[in-house]
Amino acid sequence: MTAPCPGAFAPDPARSGPSDRADPASGSGDACGFGSEPDFGYGPEPGVGSESGSEFGSARRTGRSAGPVVTELRLSAFAAHRGTVVPLAPLTLLAGPSGSGASSVLRAYEALSRLGAGASLGEVFPDPAGCVPEGAAADRQGRRGFRIGCTADGPAGPVRLELAIQAEPTLRIVGERLTRAGETLLSTALRDPRRPMLQAAWHTADELPVTREQLPDDRLGTALLPLRVAGRTPGQLQVLAAAEQMVVALRPAFVCEPRPHRMRTPVPPGAGRLRRDCGNLAAVLHAACNGYGRRHARLVALAKAGCARPVTGIGVERLADGLVRAVVARGDGDGTPLERLGNGELRYLALGVALLMGPGTDPADVESEVPSALQTPTLLADGLDRDLDGQQTRELLTAAASAAAAGRVRLLGTVTEAGAARARRTAGAAVVNLGP
């Protein structure tokens, strides 16, 4: 296989123009201005590993996910991170002192997920300067940026994605690389800073080994490949398989940040996706009560184990104005409306719903070309044990480990040191320490 470009992130010296096909061996040069590999001034540093050592490797392979999943994040230069590598198990908890960058890891994962779903750079990075490592100096042309990447494992084998993004003075992608087994399947590079386009080259294995085309500099090229590659040659089929695996692995990510004060207000009924702040929890429960028998039973059992007073059920009450509110049945009366629960219990129940019932269906994905059975949702939970007591944290971690082992969901979350200590005692959980 012939690599589309001579070096990692190196600008391709192909002839200009859309759909221009040529041999990649001709020419050389650096059009993006960051050297043959635009690392924005940061060289590689040792990555971050799991506290469990070799056990983490086996933990990464547990779980019965039906489709491809993300197994590694790389923050080469992002926020507080330089050369950070985070291996991902089905249940991964990040721990470390304040300022160690645990939340930034989740932010990088969310960004890659949204880019994989087709979002633009401006939508994903409203404050790109905040992603540039602190103290990063601009080059002679005033440019600063950041780099992130990941690995997705699945039928095509481990596929790596690397992305270099310029944050200043203009937000744009300056380089992207998709590789498998050390072979570059796609590479893009910024050749003309005056144009909002990248020169892309992908593997063809036809009469000419590489196909060249221009792609927009504000979209993930990997996500665009299924619309651009015909799939007529063995090389093109390899490119499509790798790109589709990466996109399918990245897309089903859901950020869960329960806001108790938003969960205390009755809401209109209806199905749909659980909102990020879980403010529509009652509506999701209303829809789930009619179609999630076993999962609803698991949620009730979780509530019994973590709520202060005995719980016999969780239901939804329709009010006179047509709104609905959730009610925790106690077996000794009409039950307790959700708005009367404390912050810890509300967060506990919201995270339990996200874990056991899933985030629900996004209306935009109803007619998705990828069956839901082949997508494993990844729950991103910053401050997983926030406001929770020890019993609630233990029960939630146990439920998460069970769901992850069954392949129903994966979880990447941040925890306090107390939460990390409990996670280390939870079978199936992997703790990554981001501290010094």
Side-chain angles (χ1 to χ4, degrees):
M1 185 183 300
T2 303
C5 77
F9 286 85
D12 202 324
R15 294 185 290 262
S16 61
S19 300
D20 186 32
R21 305 179 70 201
D23 191 306
S26 61
S28 63
D30 177 14
C32 81
F34 291 101
S36 61
E37 184 167 346
D39 60 3
F40 302 105
Y42 301 102
E45 293 185 9
V48 176
S50 165
E51 296 178 3
S52 55
S54 60
E55 296 179 2
F56 190 89
S58 60
R60 289 171 60 184
R61 294 185 289 272
T62 61
R64 296 177 292 178
S65 300
V69 295
V70 179
T71 55
E72 183 179 87
L73 281 176
R74 292 180 295 279
L75 284 68
S76 302
F78 185 81
H81 297 276
R82 293 178 174 84
T84 298
V85 178
V86 181
L88 300 179
L91 172 55
T92 306
L93 288 313
L94 307 175
S98 178
S100 60
S103 297
S104 296
V105 175
L106 271 64
R107 184 155 48 114
Y109 192 116
E110 181 190 5
L112 289 169
S113 174
R114 295 182 64 191
L115 290 171
S120 69
L121 277 185
E123 295 171 316
V124 175
F125 298 106
D127 178 25
C131 300
V132 179
E134 186 175 353
D139 69 358
R140 288 180 295 179
Q141 298 180 14
R143 295 177 295 183
R144 301 196 309 154
F146 52 93
R147 297 183 63 195
I148 54 178
C150 65
T151 298
D153 209 344
V159 177
R160 292 170 59 95
L161 172 67
E162 309 291 345
L163 193 61
I165 298 173
Q166 176 184 296
E168 297 173 345
T170 304
L171 178 63
R172 64 196 314 176
I173 294 174
V174 295
E176 178 179 348
R177 183 177 58 189
L178 187 71
T179 61
R180 189 189 66 173
E183 299 288 348
T184 302
L185 301 179
L186 165 73
S187 67
T188 70
L190 180 65
R191 299 192 62 211
D192 186 351
R194 298 167 298 181
R195 302 183 61 198
M197 303 298 292
L198 296 171
Q199 181 68 47
W202 58 79
H203 184 62
T204 305
D206 200 358
E207 295 89 351
L208 294 174
V210 171
T211 296
R212 306 189 194 283
E213 192 169 317
Q214 292 186 339
L215 297 178
D217 68 355
D218 68 339
R219 305 278 174 170
L220 186 69
T222 297
L224 298 176
L225 284 181
L227 303 176
R228 302 294 185 105
V229 180
R232 296 192 185 98
T233 71
Q236 290 175 341
L237 291 174
Q238 292 177 34
V239 172
L240 282 175
E244 290 172 355
Q245 175 168 296
M246 180 60 67
V247 170
V248 172
L250 282 172
R251 283 183 60 179
F254 172 65
V255 180
C256 188
E257 296 178 338
R259 298 288 188 263
H261 68 281
R262 295 187 178 273
M263 299 160 59
R264 292 191 168 97
T265 304
V267 295
R273 191 176 181 88
L274 184 65
R275 291 203 302 258
R276 185 182 189 123
D277 62 7
C278 301
N280 63 335
L281 182 65
V284 173
L285 285 171
H286 179 261
C289 285
N290 299 319
Y292 291 86
R294 291 184 179 179
R295 297 184 187 183
H296 187 266
R298 294 190 189 103
L299 178 64
V300 172
L302 188 70
K304 287 180 181 179
C307 291
R309 294 171 52 203
V311 174
T312 58
I314 297 177
V316 177
E317 178 182 51
R318 186 180 288 270
L319 304 178
D321 57 4
L323 301 180
V324 295
R325 68 179 181 185
V327 178
V328 177
R330 301 292 191 181
D332 57 356
D334 295 333
T336 305
L338 208 66
E339 59 262 30
R340 296 183 187 174
L341 300 181
N343 287 355
E345 287 181 320
L346 284 173
R347 283 184 51 82
Y348 176 72
L349 290 176
L351 289 165
V353 168
L355 277 171
L356 300 178
M357 296 182 178
T361 302
D362 189 332
D365 291 337
V366 170
E367 298 182 358
S368 172
E369 67 278 7
V370 182
S372 58
L374 297 181
Q375 302 181 66
T376 304
T378 297
L379 182 65
L380 305 178
D382 195 6
L384 181 71
D385 58 341
R386 186 182 304 138
D387 294 332
L388 305 188
D389 61 30
Q391 176 69 14
Q392 291 169 335
T393 301
R394 282 191 295 271
E395 296 295 336
L396 199 63
L397 288 172
T398 300
S402 176
R408 294 192 298 269
V409 68
R410 293 169 71 88
L411 171 64
L412 174 62
T414 68
V415 290
T416 62
E417 285 301 321
R422 293 184 176 92
R424 294 184 187 99
R425 298 192 293 270
T426 302
V431 177
V432 175
N433 187 3
L434 296 175

Coordinates of all heavy atoms in Angstrom, one line a residue, residues 80-132:
A80 N -4.7 21.4 29.2 CA -3.6 21.1 30.2 C -2.7 19.9 29.8 O -1.8 19.6 30.5 CB -4.2 20.8 31.6
H81 N -3.0 19.3 28.6 CA -2.3 18.1 28.2 C -1.3 18.3 27.2 O -1.5 19.0 26.2 CB -3.4 17.0 27.8 CG -4.4 16.7 28.8 ND1 -4.1 15.7 29.7 CD2 -5.6 17.1 29.1 CE1 -5.2 15.6 30.5 NE2 -6.1 16.4 30.2
R82 N -0.2 17.5 27.3 CA 0.9 17.5 26.3 C 1.3 16.0 26.2 O 1.9 15.5 27.2 CB 2.0 18.4 26.6 CG 1.7 19.9 26.6 CD 2.9 20.7 27.0 NE 2.7 22.1 26.8 CZ 2.1 22.9 27.7 NH1 1.6 22.4 28.8 NH2 2.0 24.2 27.5
G83 N 1.1 15.4 25.1 CA 1.5 14.0 25.0 C 0.7 13.0 25.9 O 1.3 12.0 26.3
T84 N -0.5 13.3 26.2 CA -1.3 12.4 27.1 C -2.0 11.4 26.3 O -2.7 11.6 25.3 CB -2.3 13.2 27.9 OG1 -1.7 14.2 28.7 CG2 -3.2 12.3 28.7
V85 N -1.9 10.1 26.7 CA -2.6 9.0 26.1 C -3.4 8.3 27.1 O -3.0 7.9 28.2 CB -1.6 7.9 25.5 CG1 -2.3 6.8 24.9 CG2 -0.7 8.6 24.5
V86 N -4.7 8.2 26.9 CA -5.7 7.6 27.8 C -6.3 6.4 27.2 O -7.1 6.5 26.3 CB -6.8 8.6 28.2 CG1 -7.7 8.0 29.2 CG2 -6.2 9.9 28.7
P87 N -6.0 5.2 27.7 CA -6.6 4.0 27.2 C -8.0 3.9 27.8 O -8.3 4.3 29.0 CB -5.7 2.8 27.8 CG -5.0 3.4 28.9 CD -4.9 4.9 28.7
L88 N -9.0 3.4 27.0 CA -10.4 3.4 27.4 C -10.9 1.9 27.5 O -10.9 1.2 26.6 CB -11.2 4.2 26.4 CG -10.9 5.6 26.3 CD1 -11.8 6.3 25.2 CD2 -11.0 6.4 27.6
A89 N -11.3 1.6 28.7 CA -12.0 0.3 28.9 C -13.5 0.6 28.8 O -14.0 1.7 28.7 CB -11.7 -0.2 30.3
P90 N -14.3 -0.5 28.8 CA -15.8 -0.2 28.8 C -16.2 0.7 30.0 O -17.2 1.5 29.8 CB -16.4 -1.6 29.0 CG -15.3 -2.5 28.3 CD -14.0 -1.9 28.7
L91 N -15.6 0.6 31.1 CA -15.9 1.5 32.3 C -14.6 2.1 32.7 O -13.7 1.4 33.3 CB -16.5 0.7 33.4 CG -16.7 1.5 34.7 CD1 -17.5 2.8 34.5 CD2 -17.4 0.6 35.7
T92 N -14.4 3.4 32.4 CA -13.1 4.1 32.7 C -13.4 5.3 33.6 O -14.2 6.1 33.2 CB -12.4 4.5 31.4 OG1 -12.2 3.4 30.6 CG2 -11.0 5.2 31.8
L93 N -12.7 5.4 34.7 CA -12.9 6.6 35.6 C -11.5 7.3 35.7 O -10.5 6.7 35.8 CB -13.3 6.1 37.0 CG -14.7 5.6 37.2 CD1 -15.7 6.5 36.6 CD2 -14.9 4.2 36.7
L94 N -11.6 8.6 35.5 CA -10.4 9.5 35.5 C -10.4 10.2 36.9 O -11.4 10.7 37.4 CB -10.5 10.6 34.4 CG -10.8 10.1 33.0 CD1 -10.9 11.3 32.1 CD2 -9.6 9.2 32.5
A95 N -9.2 10.1 37.5 CA -9.0 10.7 38.8 C -7.7 11.6 38.7 O -6.8 11.4 37.9 CB -8.9 9.7 39.9
G96 N -7.6 12.5 39.7 CA -6.4 13.4 39.7 C -6.8 14.6 40.5 O -7.9 15.0 40.7
P97 N -5.7 15.3 40.9 CA -6.0 16.6 41.6 C -6.6 17.7 40.7 O -6.6 17.5 39.5 CB -4.5 17.0 42.0 CG -3.6 16.3 41.1 CD -4.3 15.1 40.7
S98 N -7.1 18.7 41.3 CA -7.7 19.8 40.6 C -6.7 20.4 39.6 O -5.5 20.6 40.0 CB -8.2 20.9 41.5 OG -8.7 22.0 40.8
G99 N -7.1 20.6 38.4 CA -6.2 21.1 37.4 C -5.4 20.1 36.6 O -4.6 20.4 35.7
S100 N -5.7 18.8 36.9 CA -4.9 17.7 36.2 C -5.5 17.5 34.8 O -4.9 16.7 34.0 CB -5.0 16.4 37.0 OG -6.3 16.0 37.2
G101 N -6.6 18.0 34.5 CA -7.2 17.9 33.1 C -8.1 16.8 32.9 O -8.3 16.4 31.7
A102 N -8.8 16.3 33.9 CA -9.7 15.2 33.7 C -10.9 15.6 32.9 O -11.3 14.9 32.0 CB -10.2 14.6 35.1
S103 N -11.4 16.8 33.2 CA -12.6 17.3 32.4 C -12.2 17.5 31.0 O -13.0 17.4 30.0 CB -13.1 18.6 33.0 OG -13.6 18.3 34.3
S104 N -11.0 17.9 30.7 CA -10.5 18.2 29.3 C -10.5 16.9 28.5 O -10.7 16.9 27.3 CB -9.1 18.8 29.3 OG -9.1 20.0 29.9
V105 N -10.3 15.8 29.1 CA -10.3 14.5 28.4 C -11.7 14.2 27.9 O -11.9 13.9 26.7 CB -9.8 13.3 29.3 CG1 -10.0 12.0 28.6 CG2 -8.4 13.5 29.7
L106 N -12.7 14.5 28.7 CA -14.1 14.3 28.3 C -14.5 15.3 27.2 O -15.2 15.0 26.3 CB -15.0 14.5 29.5 CG -15.4 13.2 30.3 CD1 -14.1 12.6 30.9 CD2 -16.4 13.4 31.3
R107 N -13.9 16.5 27.3 CA -14.2 17.6 26.3 C -13.6 17.2 25.0 O -14.2 17.4 23.9 CB -13.6 18.9 26.8 CG -13.9 20.1 25.9 CD -13.9 21.4 26.7 NE -12.7 21.5 27.5 CZ -11.8 22.4 27.3 NH1 -11.9 23.3 26.3 NH2 -10.8 22.6 28.1
A108 N -12.4 16.6 25.0 CA -11.8 16.1 23.7 C -12.6 15.0 23.1 O -12.8 15.0 21.9 CB -10.4 15.7 24.0
Y109 N -13.1 14.1 23.9 CA -13.9 13.0 23.4 C -15.2 13.5 22.8 O -15.6 13.1 21.7 CB -14.2 12.0 24.5 CG -14.8 10.7 24.0 CD1 -14.1 9.5 24.2 CD2 -16.0 10.6 23.4 CE1 -14.6 8.2 23.8 CE2 -16.6 9.4 22.9 CZ -15.9 8.2 23.1 OH -16.4 7.0 22.7
E110 N -15.9 14.4 23.5 CA -17.1 15.0 23.0 C -16.9 15.7 21.7 O -17.7 15.6 20.7 CB -17.7 15.9 24.0 CG -19.0 16.6 23.5 CD -19.5 17.7 24.4 OE1 -18.8 18.1 25.4 OE2 -20.6 18.2 24.1
A111 N -15.7 16.4 21.6 CA -15.4 17.2 20.4 C -15.3 16.2 19.2 O -15.8 16.4 18.1 CB -14.2 18.0 20.6
L112 N -14.5 15.1 19.4 CA -14.3 14.2 18.3 C -15.6 13.5 17.9 O -15.9 13.3 16.7 CB -13.3 13.1 18.7 CG -11.9 13.6 18.8 CD1 -11.0 12.5 19.5 CD2 -11.3 13.9 17.4
S113 N -16.5 13.2 18.9 CA -17.8 12.6 18.6 C -18.6 13.5 17.8 O -19.3 13.1 16.8 CB -18.5 12.3 19.9 OG -19.8 11.8 19.7
R114 N -18.7 14.8 18.1 CA -19.5 15.7 17.3 C -19.0 16.0 15.9 O -19.7 16.1 15.0 CB -19.6 17.1 18.1 CG -20.4 17.0 19.4 CD -20.5 18.3 20.1 NE -21.3 19.2 19.3 CZ -21.4 20.5 19.6 NH1 -20.7 21.0 20.6 NH2 -22.1 21.3 18.8
L115 N -17.6 16.0 15.8 CA -17.0 16.1 14.5 C -17.4 14.9 13.7 O -17.6 15.0 12.5 CB -15.5 16.3 14.6 CG -15.1 17.7 15.1 CD1 -13.6 17.7 15.4 CD2 -15.4 18.8 14.2
G116 N -17.3 13.7 14.3 CA -17.7 12.5 13.6 C -19.1 12.5 13.1 O -19.4 11.8 12.1
A117 N -20.0 13.2 13.8 CA -21.4 13.2 13.5 C -21.7 14.3 12.4 O -22.8 14.5 12.0 CB -22.2 13.5 14.7
G118 N -20.6 15.1 12.0 CA -20.8 16.0 10.9 C -20.9 17.5 11.4 O -21.1 18.4 10.5
A119 N -20.7 17.8 12.7 CA -20.7 19.2 13.1 C -19.5 19.9 12.6 O -18.4 19.4 12.3 CB -20.8 19.2 14.7
S120 N -19.7 21.2 12.5 CA -18.6 22.1 12.1 C -17.6 22.4 13.2 O -18.0 22.3 14.4 CB -19.1 23.4 11.4 OG -19.7 24.2 12.4
L121 N -16.4 22.9 12.9 CA -15.5 23.3 13.9 C -16.1 24.4 14.8 O -15.9 24.4 16.1 CB -14.2 23.8 13.3 CG -13.1 22.8 12.9 CD1 -11.9 23.5 12.4 CD2 -12.8 21.8 14.0
G122 N -16.7 25.4 14.2 CA -17.3 26.5 15.0 C -18.3 26.0 16.0 O -18.4 26.6 17.1
E123 N -19.1 25.0 15.7 CA -20.1 24.4 16.6 C -19.4 23.7 17.7 O -19.9 23.7 18.9 CB -21.1 23.5 15.8 CG -21.9 24.2 14.8 CD -22.7 23.2 13.9 OE1 -22.1 22.2 13.5 OE2 -23.9 23.4 13.7
V124 N -18.4 23.0 17.4 CA -17.7 22.1 18.4 C -16.8 22.9 19.3 O -16.7 22.6 20.5 CB -16.9 21.0 17.7 CG1 -16.2 20.2 18.7 CG2 -17.9 20.1 16.9
F125 N -16.1 23.9 18.8 CA -15.2 24.7 19.6 C -15.6 26.2 19.6 O -15.0 27.0 18.9 CB -13.8 24.6 19.0 CG -13.2 23.1 19.0 CD1 -13.1 22.4 17.8 CD2 -12.8 22.6 20.2 CE1 -12.6 21.1 17.8 CE2 -12.3 21.3 20.2 CZ -12.2 20.5 19.0
P126 N -16.6 26.5 20.4 CA -17.0 28.0 20.5 C -15.9 28.8 21.1 O -15.8 30.0 20.8 CB -18.2 27.9 21.4 CG -18.1 26.7 22.2 CD -17.4 25.7 21.3
D127 N -15.0 28.3 21.9 CA -13.8 29.0 22.4 C -12.5 28.2 22.1 O -11.9 27.6 23.0 CB -14.0 29.2 23.9 CG -12.9 29.9 24.6 OD1 -12.2 30.7 23.9 OD2 -12.6 29.7 25.8
P128 N -12.1 28.2 20.9 CA -10.9 27.4 20.5 C -9.7 27.8 21.3 O -8.8 27.0 21.5 CB -10.8 27.6 19.0 CG -11.5 28.9 18.7 CD -12.6 29.0 19.7
A129 N -9.5 29.1 21.6 CA -8.3 29.5 22.3 C -8.2 28.8 23.7 O -7.1 28.6 24.2 CB -8.3 31.0 22.5
G130 N -9.3 28.4 24.3 CA -9.3 27.7 25.5 C -8.8 26.3 25.4 O -8.5 25.7 26.4
C131 N -8.7 25.8 24.2 CA -8.1 24.4 24.0 C -6.6 24.4 23.7 O -6.0 23.4 23.8 CB -8.9 23.8 22.8 SG -10.6 23.6 23.0
V132 N -6.1 25.6 23.5 CA -4.6 25.7 23.2 C -3.9 25.5 24.5 O -4.3 26.2 25.5 CB -4.3 27.0 22.6 CG1 -2.8 27.2 22.4 CG2 -5.0 27.2 21.2

